[in-house]
Each structure stands twice: as C-alpha cells, then as structure tokens.
C-alpha cells in the first residue's frame, strides 16, 4: 500500500475550536442540540447561531435525529473555521462491533468536506471521550480510513486534534505500527 497519504495527515495537541481550518468536525449526539466535551466547546465558541443552524438541519433533513456514523454540515459562525461537520460516533459496547460506524464518521466527513471545497479539515478523537471507545482501537480505525480515503482527496490536509499529549503519543504509536505494516 502507498504511504503518500501520510503527507496529508498531521496531528497536534490543542483545542479544536481555535483552529484556522476550512472545517472542524464535531463529535455530536443524535439530537444535534449540543452537549458536553468537544460538542459543548464548539457550541460555546461558535455562538448561539450554531444551535439555530442545527435545529434547521434537524427540521429539514434529520427530524428523528442524526444517526450514528452520519454527517451534517453547518457554518462555523464565530469559530475561525468556516464550517462545522457534525457527526455522531457510536457509544462503545464490548459486546457489539461498531467499528464500521466510527469509520463512517471519518469517511463521510472527508467526503462532505471535499464536496464543499475544503482543503483543510480537523477532527477530534470521536467517541473516545464520553462515548467510551477505547483510544487505541479508535486510532487504528482512523489510520485505516485515512489510508483508504485520503488518496481520493489529494487537495485535503487533515489535522487530528487531540486534547492531551498522552492521546497524541498514543496515536503516534498506533500510526507507527500501521504504517510499518502497510509499507
Ligand atoms: N478540542 C479537542 N478535543 C477535545 C475538546 C476540544 N476543545 N474537548 C474535548 N475534547 C476531546 C476529548 O478529550 C476526547 O478525546 O474530544 C474527544 C471526544 O470526546 P467527547 O467530546 O466526549 O466526544 P464523544 O466521546 O464522541 O462523546 C459524544 O459527548 O459532548 C457529548 O454531545 C456529545 O453526547 C455526545 C457525546
């Protein structure tokens, strides 16, 4: 497998709401009405217009709520980012493999960003906070999705924005392992 996609992927530790990128991804919930974690931070930084835009998305496209693995785009309002892509990661369950749903969050966000002409996109570590997905398993999914999909969007630069250095280090270890085995 080619590793050219690795040049399109960067990661950092920080607050995703501060990033000057075309779009940031929000780890939302079905309601799209905001919440804690990164969702709360994004709504606070974007301002109240974001909630109104999310209500419109619900009314017009997802009256029963945004399903796991789906995506919806709104403006970024007061954020430095032009757009917010809202996605719903799966709640981790030991007894049920939901890896395809987490992969869908990343895959569909890449496609939606590219559809809107974005050349820079930042992700938080979807599902690994309140939704309890084990970090390493999630990181492996991220690497696989990026390896498979970034070659389709050669103009797109992706930043993974971790909230702690420990998460960034844990991702680095998984990334090293995945790229070693796919070289
Ligand atoms: N910037 C970047 N990452 C952040 C930020 C931030 N400002 N705030 C939190 N994080 C990190 C967390 O540390 C975690 O690694 O984002 C990751 C995802 O955690 P959560 O926000 O808890 O998201 P998730 O696990 O997908 O749970 C979604 O939480 O906030 C609610 O409405 C949301 O119900 C939904 C659930």
């Amino acid at each position: 497998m080619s590793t050219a996609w690795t040049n399109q992927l960067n990661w950092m530790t920080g607050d995703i709401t501060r990033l000057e990128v075309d779009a940031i991804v929000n780890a939302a919930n079905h309601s799209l009405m905001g919440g804690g974690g990164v969702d709360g931070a994004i709504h606070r930084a974007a301002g109240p217009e974001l909630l109104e835009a999310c209500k419109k998305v619900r009314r017009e496209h997802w009256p029963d709520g945004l399903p796991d693995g789906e995506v919806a785009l709104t403006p970024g309002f007061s954020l430095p980012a032009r757009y917010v892509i809202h996605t719903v990661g799966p709640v981790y369950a030991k007894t049920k493999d939901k890896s395809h749903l987490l992969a869908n969050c990343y895959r569909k966000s890449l496609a939606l960003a590219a559809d809107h002409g974005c050349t820079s996109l930042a992700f938080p570590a979807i599902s690994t906070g309140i939704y309890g997905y084990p970090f390493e398993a999630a990181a492996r999914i991220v690497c696989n999705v990026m390896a498979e999909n970034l070659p389709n969007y050669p103009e797109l630069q992706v930043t993974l924005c971790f909230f702690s250095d420990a998460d960034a280090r844990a991702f680095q270890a998984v990334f090293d392992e995945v790229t070693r085995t796919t070289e």
Side-chain angles (χ1 to χ4, degrees):
M1 186 192 286
S2 159
T3 52
W5 63 274
T6 58
N7 297 325
Q8 291 171 256
L9 186 67
N10 303 286
W11 55 95
M12 58 169 288
T13 305
D15 177 356
I16 200 166
T17 66
R18 310 290 286 271
L19 299 188
E20 296 186 8
V21 288
D22 290 333
I24 61 171
V25 174
N26 181 18
N29 59 56
H30 298 165
S31 79
L32 294 183
M33 295 299 106
V38 72
D39 193 7
I42 289 173
H43 274 268
R44 277 192 300 279
E49 287 167 295
L50 184 61
L51 182 59
E52 292 312 310
C54 287
K55 287 181 180 168
K56 187 161 179 262
V57 167
R58 284 288 309 274
R59 268 196 315 274
E60 294 180 0
H61 303 289
W62 299 102
D64 298 328
L66 189 66
D68 286 359
E70 281 296 343
V71 291
L73 181 136
T74 65
F77 300 104
S78 297
L79 289 164
R82 186 149 44 107
Y83 300 117
V84 178
I85 294 175
H86 307 262
T87 191
V88 183
V91 177
Y92 182 70
K94 264 191 192 148
T95 51
K96 197 165 177 207
D97 180 10
K98 298 185 180 179
S99 54
H100 63 291
L101 295 171
L102 188 54
N104 282 349
C105 292
Y106 284 93
R107 194 169 50 77
K108 292 189 180 200
S109 294
L110 293 174
L112 192 56
D115 274 355
H116 283 76
C118 297
T119 57
S120 52
L121 172 67
F123 286 95
I126 302 166
S127 282
T128 68
I130 294 165
Y131 281 0
Y133 215 97
F135 188 89
E136 234 187 69
R140 215 170 287 279
I141 290 166
V142 174
C143 287
N144 290 334
V145 170
M146 296 301 160
E148 280 171 24
N149 292 273
L150 283 181
N152 299 330
Y153 312 111
E155 307 301 323
L156 192 58
Q157 284 292 322
V158 169
T159 300
L160 306 176
C161 180
F162 298 112
F163 212 38
S164 71
D165 288 330
D167 282 355
R169 277 195 301 274
F171 181 81
Q172 173 85 54
V174 171
F175 175 86
D176 287 347
E177 189 195 311
V178 168
T179 49
R180 237 192 341 264
T181 54
T182 57
E183 260 164 24

